[in-house]
């Protein structure tokens, strides 16, 4: 399979161990009509995470989020398809979706998976993953309480602060949250103009696409969406306040 060649050529490491390796192994085995035993992960000598590690961990958490409200929606699959097509060629993206379907049939220990992800990804990669998870949660235009609770729980277990999690959530709440721009910048609406400018500079640095360079150019390109949302939030506040 194309995706398996890409995944293993990309150097799977830490995802092959622990709870992620278990559920991925079952999903892959169902596709190749045979047993799949995840090899022991290589001893890691750095904090590096390959694109393959990132994507397989992402697929596991995506499956958990899709099942959170008890419904599997076409809109959610469409969002995921679009994302995968940014990362892989068409054939490989379709194979990744087949792995996702295998994951959806399993009971996923979300807590263990999120803890494993948190222990192996850096802060920027974790925020990029959470952004994608929220985009699937909002695929139908709103976020159910069960989805919101699960996403915030995942964020906490991964080691993402509540402020950062709420900031990412606010990026999808323009139509329902009048304070979305302030929430994105992690400030109160009572903040001074200088505080707004300072917050923007801080968030622009935090969400700059270069911070996920190690995950490959494709994921770096997808990370520009968060950066654009931060810029949009700042421009919205500037317009509201007639700031220079």
């Amino acid at each position: 399979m194309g995706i398996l060649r890409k995944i293993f050529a990309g150097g799977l490491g830490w995802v092959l161990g622990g709870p992620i390796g278990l559920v991925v192994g079952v999903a892959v085995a169902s596709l190749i009509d045979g047993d799949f035993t995840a090899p022991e992960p290589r001893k890691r000598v750095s904090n590096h995470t390959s694109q393959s590690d990132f994507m397989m961990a992402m697929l596991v958490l995506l499956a958990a989020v899709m099942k959170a409200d008890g419904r599997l929606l076409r809109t959610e699959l469409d969002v995921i398809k679009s994302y995968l097509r940014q990362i892989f060629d068409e054939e490989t993206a379709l194979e990744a979706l087949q792995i996702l379907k295998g994951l959806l049939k399993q009971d996923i220990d979300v807590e263990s998976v999120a803890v494993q992800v948190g222990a192996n990804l850096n802060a920027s990669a974790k925020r990029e993953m959470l952004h994608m998870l929220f985009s699937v949660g909002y695929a139908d235009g709103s976020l159910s309480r069960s989805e919101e609770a699960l996403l915030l729980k995942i964020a906490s277990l991964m080691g993402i602060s509540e402020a950062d999690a709420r900031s990412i959530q606010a990026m999808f709440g323009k139509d329902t949250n009048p304070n979305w721009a302030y929430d994105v910048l992690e400030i109160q609406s009572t903040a001074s103009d200088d505080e707004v400018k300072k917050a923007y500079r801080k968030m622009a640095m935090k969400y700059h696409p270069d911070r996920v360079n190690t995950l490959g150019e494709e994921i770096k390109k997808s990370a520009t969406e968060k950066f654009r949302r931060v810029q949009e939030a700042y421009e919205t506040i500037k317009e509201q306040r007639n700031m220079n």
Side-chain angles (χ1 to χ4, degrees):
M1 295 179 67
I3 189 169
L4 295 183
R5 289 194 297 272
K6 280 183 174 289
I7 285 170
F8 287 101
L12 272 181
W14 57 267
V15 301
L16 287 176
I20 296 177
L22 290 175
V23 293
V24 168
V26 172
V28 170
S30 69
L31 292 178
I32 62 177
D33 295 322
D35 294 328
F36 175 86
T37 301
E40 290 295 319
R42 298 188 304 270
K43 183 178 180 181
R44 298 174 69 235
V45 295
S46 72
N47 223 12
H48 174 71
T49 291
S50 72
Q51 184 185 97
S52 299
D53 286 316
F54 181 86
M55 288 306 305
M56 292 308 289
M58 171 83 82
L59 288 174
V60 174
L61 287 177
L62 282 172
V65 171
M66 289 179 70
K67 293 174 23 169
D69 61 0
R71 300 179 300 161
L72 299 180
L73 302 178
R74 172 59 60 182
T75 51
E76 294 173 336
L77 278 175
D78 288 344
V79 169
I80 295 171
K81 282 181 185 177
S82 177
Y83 185 82
L84 291 173
R85 284 167 177 159
Q86 293 180 52
I87 310 301
F88 300 123
D89 57 62
E90 182 70 15
E91 178 185 3
T92 306
L94 290 174
E95 290 177 355
L97 285 172
Q98 292 304 309
I99 290 179
L100 176 65
K101 290 178 181 178
L103 293 168
L104 287 168
K105 298 175 183 177
Q106 300 182 54
D107 291 326
I108 297 171
D109 183 347
V110 178
E111 292 190 9
S112 296
V113 169
V115 168
Q116 185 182 5
V117 169
N120 288 279
L121 292 186
N122 64 33
S124 295
K126 285 186 279 191
R127 288 191 291 263
E128 172 61 15
M129 186 171 290
L130 186 64
H131 183 267
M132 179 56 190
L133 296 176
F134 266 112
S135 72
V136 169
Y138 275 99
D140 61 350
S142 63
L143 193 70
S144 71
R145 290 185 178 181
S146 58
E147 288 172 327
E148 180 181 31
L150 178 61
L151 286 165
L152 294 177
K153 180 179 182 179
I154 289 172
S156 177
L157 290 167
M158 287 199 300
I160 296 175
S161 70
E162 183 176 356
D164 277 358
R166 292 295 187 182
S167 170
I168 293 171
Q169 180 179 2
M171 294 178 183
F172 299 93
K174 288 196 303 180
D175 296 333
T176 57
N177 179 6
N179 286 322
W180 75 272
Y182 291 96
D183 290 344
V184 167
L185 298 186
E186 298 183 11
I187 54 176
Q188 299 294 319
S189 59
T190 54
S192 67
D193 289 357
D194 285 343
E195 288 172 332
V196 170
K197 293 175 183 178
K198 182 178 179 180
Y200 167 67
R201 289 192 295 268
K202 176 184 175 182
M203 299 302 288
M205 290 180 62
K206 181 186 293 187
Y207 289 117
H208 197 283
D210 285 347
R211 289 188 174 271
V212 293
N213 266 340
T214 59
L215 299 178
E217 284 299 313
E218 295 88 352
I219 291 176
K220 179 181 175 181
K221 288 177 183 177
S222 74
T224 60
E225 177 63 23
K226 296 195 308 301
F227 189 65
R228 284 196 294 265
R229 295 293 178 96
V230 169
Q231 292 177 312
E232 183 182 3
Y234 181 53
E235 292 300 324
T236 297
I237 295 173
K238 283 176 63 179
E239 183 177 349
Q240 290 174 349
R241 294 185 173 206
N242 293 317
M243 286 172 55
N244 294 324

